[in-house]
Amino acid sequence: MSDTISIQTLDSVVNKALLTLPENQRSLSNRDRFLEFAIDALRNLRLTTTNSGAKTVKIEPNAVNRFDFPYDMEQFISLGVPVNGKIWWLTRNNDIINTKTVIGIDESLDEDDGEGIDLAVSQSDSFDSIGGINSQGYFTLDFENREIIVNANTRSELLLRYISSGINNSGETYIESKYIRAIIAYILWMDVDYDRTAPMNMKEQYKSRFEESKNEIKRIEAPGLWELLDAWNSKSMNS
């Protein structure tokens, strides 16, 4: 019955992969290994292959204009604010000073050290204007501390878009059925790839199966004819 629904739990996918092993090898240790492989497979697919994965969430930076990376963020995409029903993207500026002043558990920004000083969001209309002004603000990324740093933002609530791992750390993780074949192929590839006794041609065969299943996903998720026509018509109307 589970094969007929469009989503399945990650655990059920791991159990399916275990069924490919001889019964005497379906141990708890192998299940734990397969679960780790499945998590890696899902992250790989979302970063490199699937249309699923891009996620937009509302965030509110703290008192020192910082926001921790979401636990499931694999790749940052963009940061913006809603303006007239559309997203206005903030400009990334890596020259923003990313330090903060920490005393005990208190965090603050010291303007004498250039911390928290707002960049320009407007300019005079003259020949010596510097250009590159974003009226909605700027940001930079602090990868070491896993923080987004916002500067001169006009709103306290922002829209963060990123690639999610798809892993739920507080409940069930669900997988779209069209990705299951690729996840199982990855699990079985990793199973033999870490086996030093497995011949190289076997490892290449399992790797090839994974690559084939990724290409199958790309074919499934390729835009349909009507989507292409809509995109063409929209471009023609706006040109």
Side-chain angles (χ1 to χ4, degrees):
M1 182 65 180
S2 61
D3 291 336
T4 65
I5 61 177
S6 60
I7 58 171
Q8 297 183 38
T9 65
L10 186 64
D11 283 339
S12 68
V13 175
V14 171
N15 290 335
K16 282 188 174 186
L18 280 171
L19 290 176
T20 67
L21 299 180
E23 190 171 351
N24 62 351
Q25 294 181 23
R26 299 173 197 169
S27 61
L28 286 176
S29 60
N30 268 332
R31 191 186 186 289
D32 289 342
R33 290 174 63 246
F34 278 21
L35 179 59
E36 290 301 317
F37 294 153
I39 291 171
D40 289 344
L42 183 57
R43 295 171 65 190
N44 178 291
L45 291 174
R46 283 177 161 244
L47 281 169
T48 66
T49 307
T50 71
N51 289 338
S52 300
K55 187 175 181 180
T56 302
V57 297
K58 293 180 179 180
I59 67 169
E60 290 190 37
N62 61 19
V64 289
N65 250 4
R66 283 158 168 76
F67 187 85
D68 291 338
F69 288 0
Y71 75 89
D72 62 332
M73 188 172 88
E74 291 290 329
Q75 180 67 42
F76 173 87
I77 298 177
S78 51
L79 187 69
V81 294
V83 176
N84 297 326
K86 293 185 177 181
I87 301 178
W88 183 298
W89 301 113
L90 274 61
T91 298
R92 182 168 176 175
N93 188 327
N94 290 330
D95 290 332
I96 294 171
I97 293 174
N98 63 0
T99 59
K100 57 188 173 183
T101 301
V102 181
I103 301 176
I105 61 173
D106 295 324
E107 297 180 346
S108 61
L109 300 175
D110 188 341
E111 290 191 6
D112 291 338
D113 292 331
E115 298 170 350
I117 295 177
D118 285 349
L119 303 182
V121 293
S122 62
Q123 63 182 7
S124 59
D125 188 10
S126 63
F127 286 111
D128 60 355
S129 297
I130 61 175
I133 298 297
N134 191 328
S135 61
Q136 297 298 324
Y138 309 86
F139 72 93
T140 191
L141 303 176
D142 183 347
F143 289 100
E144 183 174 353
N145 294 305
R146 291 184 59 80
E147 291 180 331
I148 300 167
I149 302 171
V150 188
N151 182 284
N153 48 305
T154 60
R155 293 174 58 105
S156 60
E157 190 174 72
L158 307 173
L159 298 174
L160 169 63
R161 182 171 291 176
Y162 65 96
I163 299 295
S164 167
S165 66
I167 304 301
N168 187 340
N169 68 351
S170 61
E172 289 279 13
T173 294
Y174 289 94
I175 310 295
E176 293 181 57
S177 293
K178 60 185 174 181
Y179 304 144
I180 290 175
R181 180 172 177 264
I183 292 175
I184 291 177
Y186 183 90
I187 292 172
L188 299 181
W189 171 33
M190 289 296 100
D191 186 40
V192 299
D193 201 47
Y194 284 104
D195 184 352
R196 295 184 180 180
T197 65
M200 187 58 65
N201 64 335
M202 177 185 290
K203 296 181 180 183
E204 289 299 322
Q205 181 182 25
Y206 277 90
K207 179 182 178 181
S208 178
R209 289 179 184 175
F210 174 59
E211 295 298 332
E212 288 173 4
S213 60
K214 286 174 66 175
N215 289 334
E216 181 180 286
I217 291 172
K218 291 177 181 178
R219 288 193 296 270
I220 292 171
E221 296 189 340
L225 175 61
W226 289 112
E227 291 177 276
L228 294 173
L229 287 173
D230 283 345
W232 174 262
N233 290 334
S234 176
K235 182 179 178 182
S236 299
M237 291 174 64
N238 293 325
S239 59

